[in-house]
mmCIF file of all heavy atoms in Angstrom:
data_model
loop_
_atom_site.group_PDB
_atom_site.id
_atom_site.type_symbol
_atom_site.label_atom_id
_atom_site.label_comp_id
_atom_site.label_asym_id
_atom_site.label_seq_id
_atom_site.Cartn_x
_atom_site.Cartn_y
_atom_site.Cartn_z
ATOM 1 N N ILE A 123 123.056 99.818 92.047
ATOM 2 C CA ILE A 123 123.048 101.095 91.366
ATOM 3 C C ILE A 123 124.229 101.916 92.133
ATOM 4 O O ILE A 123 124.062 102.098 93.387
ATOM 5 C CB ILE A 123 121.800 102.026 91.484
ATOM 6 C CG1 ILE A 123 120.657 101.263 90.890
ATOM 7 C CG2 ILE A 123 121.906 103.302 90.868
ATOM 8 C CD1 ILE A 123 120.755 100.954 89.437
ATOM 9 N N VAL A 124 125.199 102.328 91.437
ATOM 10 C CA VAL A 124 126.330 103.016 92.115
ATOM 11 C C VAL A 124 126.826 104.317 91.340
ATOM 12 O O VAL A 124 127.100 104.148 90.167
ATOM 13 C CB VAL A 124 127.512 101.996 92.193
ATOM 14 C CG1 VAL A 124 128.705 102.721 92.901
ATOM 15 C CG2 VAL A 124 127.145 100.840 93.090
ATOM 16 N N SER A 125 126.849 105.342 92.032
ATOM 17 C CA SER A 125 127.446 106.558 91.596
ATOM 18 C C SER A 125 128.573 106.805 92.488
ATOM 19 O O SER A 125 128.408 107.214 93.652
ATOM 20 C CB SER A 125 126.490 107.667 91.652
ATOM 21 O OG SER A 125 125.544 107.652 90.578
ATOM 22 N N PRO A 126 129.772 106.451 92.194
ATOM 23 C CA PRO A 126 130.899 106.517 93.155
ATOM 24 C C PRO A 126 131.037 107.778 93.874
ATOM 25 O O PRO A 126 131.073 108.882 93.172
ATOM 26 C CB PRO A 126 132.124 106.164 92.259
ATOM 27 C CG PRO A 126 131.600 105.376 91.072
ATOM 28 C CD PRO A 126 130.336 105.919 90.855
ATOM 29 N N GLY A 127 131.235 107.744 95.174
ATOM 30 C CA GLY A 127 131.243 108.962 95.997
ATOM 31 C C GLY A 127 129.948 109.344 96.608
ATOM 32 O O GLY A 127 129.955 110.052 97.578
ATOM 33 N N TYR A 128 128.837 108.861 95.893
ATOM 34 C CA TYR A 128 127.557 109.373 96.380
ATOM 35 C C TYR A 128 126.793 108.097 96.904
ATOM 36 O O TYR A 128 125.851 108.220 97.571
ATOM 37 C CB TYR A 128 126.847 110.070 95.240
ATOM 38 C CG TYR A 128 127.529 111.281 94.885
ATOM 39 C CD1 TYR A 128 128.485 111.368 93.732
ATOM 40 C CD2 TYR A 128 127.460 112.464 95.644
ATOM 41 C CE1 TYR A 128 129.156 112.421 93.421
ATOM 42 C CE2 TYR A 128 128.249 113.570 95.234
ATOM 43 C CZ TYR A 128 129.059 113.500 94.156
ATOM 44 O OH TYR A 128 129.791 114.694 93.814
ATOM 45 N N ALA A 129 127.032 106.971 96.352
ATOM 46 C CA ALA A 129 126.371 105.718 96.773
ATOM 47 C C ALA A 129 126.908 105.161 97.995
ATOM 48 O O ALA A 129 128.120 104.952 98.164
ATOM 49 C CB ALA A 129 126.479 104.677 95.602
ATOM 50 N N PRO A 130 126.106 104.788 98.937
ATOM 51 C CA PRO A 130 126.590 104.191 100.261
ATOM 52 C C PRO A 130 126.891 102.751 100.022
ATOM 53 O O PRO A 130 126.622 102.215 98.876
ATOM 54 C CB PRO A 130 125.330 104.269 101.155
ATOM 55 C CG PRO A 130 124.146 104.214 100.215
ATOM 56 C CD PRO A 130 124.644 105.029 99.007
ATOM 57 N N LEU A 131 127.668 102.116 100.810
ATOM 58 C CA LEU A 131 128.125 100.822 100.818
ATOM 59 C C LEU A 131 127.123 99.731 100.321
ATOM 60 O O LEU A 131 127.214 98.998 99.607
ATOM 61 C CB LEU A 131 128.899 100.367 101.978
ATOM 62 C CG LEU A 131 129.706 99.095 101.792
ATOM 63 C CD1 LEU A 131 130.691 99.137 100.778
ATOM 64 C CD2 LEU A 131 130.334 98.751 103.219
ATOM 65 N N GLU A 132 126.002 99.960 101.054
ATOM 66 C CA GLU A 132 124.842 98.996 100.770
ATOM 67 C C GLU A 132 124.356 98.974 99.368
ATOM 68 O O GLU A 132 123.683 98.043 98.975
ATOM 69 C CB GLU A 132 123.621 99.251 101.742
ATOM 70 C CG GLU A 132 123.060 100.588 101.638
ATOM 71 C CD GLU A 132 123.511 101.606 102.645
ATOM 72 O OE1 GLU A 132 124.593 101.432 103.049
ATOM 73 O OE2 GLU A 132 122.774 102.569 102.901
ATOM 74 N N GLN A 133 124.742 100.038 98.632
ATOM 75 C CA GLN A 133 124.153 99.961 97.200
ATOM 76 C C GLN A 133 125.234 99.223 96.236
ATOM 77 O O GLN A 133 124.856 99.044 95.106
ATOM 78 C CB GLN A 133 124.000 101.419 96.661
ATOM 79 C CG GLN A 133 122.626 101.904 97.096
ATOM 80 C CD GLN A 133 122.361 103.329 96.479
ATOM 81 O OE1 GLN A 133 121.976 104.237 97.267
ATOM 82 N NE2 GLN A 133 122.382 103.506 95.222
ATOM 83 N N TYR A 134 126.284 98.822 96.769
ATOM 84 C CA TYR A 134 127.367 98.085 95.903
ATOM 85 C C TYR A 134 126.901 96.749 95.680
ATOM 86 O O TYR A 134 127.549 95.943 94.987
ATOM 87 C CB TYR A 134 128.711 98.295 96.659
ATOM 88 C CG TYR A 134 129.434 99.542 96.322
ATOM 89 C CD1 TYR A 134 128.996 100.741 96.983
ATOM 90 C CD2 TYR A 134 130.429 99.685 95.403
ATOM 91 C CE1 TYR A 134 129.658 101.945 96.737
ATOM 92 C CE2 TYR A 134 130.977 100.871 95.133
ATOM 93 C CZ TYR A 134 130.655 102.036 95.623
ATOM 94 O OH TYR A 134 131.186 103.234 95.438
ATOM 95 N N THR A 135 125.975 96.143 96.446
ATOM 96 C CA THR A 135 125.453 94.741 96.195
ATOM 97 C C THR A 135 124.015 94.773 96.061
ATOM 98 O O THR A 135 123.327 95.712 96.583
ATOM 99 C CB THR A 135 125.889 93.894 97.362
ATOM 100 O OG1 THR A 135 125.147 94.332 98.544
ATOM 101 C CG2 THR A 135 127.291 93.811 97.685
ATOM 102 N N SER A 136 123.464 93.844 95.337
ATOM 103 C CA SER A 136 121.919 93.777 95.129
ATOM 104 C C SER A 136 121.215 93.415 96.356
ATOM 105 O O SER A 136 119.993 93.606 96.555
ATOM 106 C CB SER A 136 121.700 92.893 94.010
ATOM 107 O OG SER A 136 122.095 91.554 94.306
ATOM 108 N N SER A 137 121.885 92.856 97.333
ATOM 109 C CA SER A 137 121.268 92.372 98.577
ATOM 110 C C SER A 137 121.537 93.391 99.773
ATOM 111 O O SER A 137 121.160 93.187 100.959
ATOM 112 C CB SER A 137 121.788 91.072 98.980
ATOM 113 O OG SER A 137 123.132 91.061 99.193
ATOM 114 N N GLY A 138 122.053 94.454 99.525
ATOM 115 C CA GLY A 138 122.355 95.537 100.538
ATOM 116 C C GLY A 138 121.140 96.102 101.238
ATOM 117 O O GLY A 138 120.047 96.207 100.574
#
Side-chain angles (χ1 to χ4, degrees):
I123 305 293
V124 177
S125 289
Y128 301 97
L131 190 60
E132 61 266 20
Q133 279 184 234
Y134 279 75
T135 66
S136 59
S137 60

